[in-house]
Amino acid sequence: MSLKVGDVVEVLGAQEILSTLDERGELDELPFMPEMLRYCGQRMTVHKVAHKLCDSITHTGLRRMARAVHLTGARCDGSAHGGCQTACSLYWKEDWLRKIEPGQLAPRHTPAEGKPNLPLLVSATTRGADPDGQARYACQATEILRAAPICMPVLSLSQYVTDVRTGNVGPLLALRGFLVGVFNRVQVESRKRLPRWLLFRGGRDWGFLNPGRPGKTPTATLNLQPGELVRIRPRSDIEATLDDNLRNRGMSFDEEMAHFCGRTARVLARVDRCIDERTGRMLHLANPCIVLEGVVCLGRFNVNCPREFVPFWREIWLERVPVNERA
C-alpha cells in the first residue's frame, strides 16, 4: 500500500487477520499477538513506517523490516504476556490493514471484543518453560530478529530516502542521522584497531557520555507514583551514578535518554517486570523503575530508528518538582 506517516487505516477484523497467519500465528515471522485484537475494526493513523529497527538483542545495528508500520497510540499492554510493562510499540503488517481514502466514513467492522483467548494466538505467547517452571514468553520483541533478518548498513543510502519519503523524518534529521551513524561506525572501528591514547574522545559514540567507575553503583528511593511531576536530573548528576558500562545496577543509560536531561514530565507508571527479549524470561525488578509520560526514544543517535522504545528511569535519575515551581 506504500503507507506514509499520517495515513488513516482500518485494522482488519480478527478473522481476516487470522487467515493471513501461519500455524505459529505469524506473518513473515512476525507474530500477531492477543494484545492487538482490541484494535480490530478501529480506524487509526500511521505514526511511523517501520521499514527498519534497532537490534536490541544482539546489537548488530539496524535491521530491515518489510511492509510494516506503527500506529498512533497502539502499544502492547502485556496482558497476554504475564503483565510485561515494556509497552512496546506494536508492529502492523500492511496485510492486516486497509487504507482509508478521503470520503470513506463508515467502518466495515466493529472492534473485536471478548476474543483474547483465540487458541492459535494464545498458544503462541509462550515457548515452553524452564526446568524451574518459569514460562518462556514469545512476542514481537523476542522474535524481531526472525521478522527482520537482514542487517542494514549505515551507508545504505536508500534508508534515508525512505525516511524522508514516508514522512518518518524531514531531510535535515535524515542528514543528521546519517552523519551521526557514520561517526559512530568510525568510532566502533577505531576502538577495535587503535590504542586507547589515539582514540577521539575515548572512542565514545556521538553524545559522549562519560562512563563511571567499575563496581556497585548508588541507588535512591523516592517512591514516585503515577501523576507526580518530576524533573530529569542534569546529565552530569546521572553520569556520576553509572559504572564503566554506563549502567546503574544493571540498567543502561544512553545518549537517547540524555537528550531529555533537565526536562520535566509526569510519572506514567512504576515498572517492576518486563520480558527479557533475548531469553523470553520474565524479569522481576528488585528496584522498580519509572516510565515518564511522553518520553520515548527518538532515534536521534540511532539513525532515526522508528521503534520508539519507552525508556526506564531509575529514581536516582529523577527529582520531584517543588510545589512552588509547578505551573
Side-chain angles (χ1 to χ4, degrees):
M1 288 185 288
S2 298
L3 294 172
K4 298 181 179 180
V5 172
D7 283 346
V8 178
V9 296
E10 180 180 310
V11 181
L12 299 182
Q15 294 305 319
E16 289 180 282
I17 292 176
L18 285 172
S19 70
T20 71
L21 306 180
D22 61 19
E23 67 280 0
R24 294 180 298 185
E26 299 175 350
L27 173 62
D28 297 336
E29 317 297 328
L30 182 72
F32 182 87
M33 304 187 301
E35 290 91 344
M36 303 168 74
L37 284 169
R38 63 192 176 105
Y39 297 105
C40 287
Q42 293 189 30
R43 290 193 173 182
M44 307 182 74
T45 303
V46 174
H47 179 63
K48 290 288 179 70
V49 175
H51 68 103
K52 60 182 178 181
L53 56 93
C54 291
D55 171 12
S56 56
I57 298 176
T58 58
H59 304 288
T60 56
L62 291 175
R63 297 279 183 136
R64 189 185 308 277
M65 173 75 80
R67 302 173 57 247
V69 298
H70 298 295
L71 301 179
T72 301
R75 289 188 174 271
C76 179
D77 63 8
S79 56
H81 290 83
C84 173
Q85 296 173 281
T86 306
C88 295
S89 184
L90 295 167
Y91 286 92
W92 299 87
K93 286 290 189 177
E94 290 188 353
D95 302 66
W96 302 336
L97 307 172
R98 179 182 294 107
K99 186 176 180 180
I100 301 300
E101 303 295 343
Q104 284 185 249
L105 299 179
R108 293 181 52 183
H109 304 280
T110 56
E113 295 180 357
K115 296 182 179 180
N117 294 315
L118 292 175
L120 175 64
L121 302 185
V122 173
S123 64
T125 61
T126 57
R127 294 283 188 266
D130 288 337
D132 61 2
Q134 183 174 351
R136 292 269 184 153
Y137 290 99
C139 64
Q140 290 187 341
T142 65
E143 309 307 306
I144 204 68
L145 297 187
R146 293 196 300 113
I150 301 174
C151 291
M152 181 182 288
V154 169
L155 293 179
S156 174
L157 299 181
S158 62
Q159 66 174 297
Y160 306 101
V161 176
T162 301
D163 281 335
V164 176
R165 180 181 59 80
T166 60
N168 277 5
V169 298
L172 290 180
L173 278 180
L175 176 60
R176 183 188 185 280
F178 169 73
L179 294 175
V180 171
V182 170
F183 176 85
N184 288 345
R185 189 63 206 169
V186 170
Q187 292 290 78
V188 168
E189 293 302 316
S190 70
R191 292 196 295 267
K192 293 178 182 178
R193 305 172 190 274
L194 298 178
R196 186 168 182 81
W197 63 273
L198 277 178
L199 297 177
F200 177 73
R201 299 289 293 270
R204 288 170 288 167
D205 288 345
W206 187 262
F208 309 113
L209 286 175
N210 295 307
R213 298 178 180 179
K216 197 171 184 179
T217 51
T219 186
T221 301
L222 302 180
N223 195 30
L224 294 170
Q225 299 299 318
E228 288 196 74
L229 189 65
V230 296
R231 180 181 295 111
I232 300 170
R233 297 176 68 89
R235 170 174 158 160
S236 59
D237 289 0
I238 294 177
E239 287 175 335
T241 72
L242 306 177
D243 63 18
D244 54 341
N245 291 314
L246 298 175
R247 294 174 179 269
N248 177 278
R249 309 247 167 170
M251 182 155 293
S252 297
F253 181 81
D254 60 23
E255 293 82 4
E256 296 285 355
M257 298 171 73
H259 173 74
F260 294 98
C261 284
R263 301 193 186 187
T264 59
R266 292 199 178 276
V267 174
L268 183 63
R270 292 177 63 85
V271 174
D272 58 19
R273 55 187 160 178
C274 61
I275 292 174
D276 183 343
E277 296 176 1
R278 293 170 297 174
T279 66
R281 291 175 64 96
M282 182 68 73
L283 302 178
H284 296 273
L285 308 182
N287 296 313
C289 294
I290 301 300
V291 169
L292 299 177
E293 190 175 307
V295 176
V296 298
C297 174
L298 299 175
R300 290 175 176 266
F301 300 88
N302 291 284
V303 201
N304 296 312
C305 170
R307 200 171 178 182
E308 292 197 353
F309 278 112
V310 175
F312 291 171
W313 300 85
R314 290 292 192 199
E315 289 191 317
I316 198 172
W317 299 340
L318 307 172
E319 58 186 1
R320 285 186 171 89
V321 175
V323 175
N324 60 347
E325 294 184 24
R326 299 176 188 175

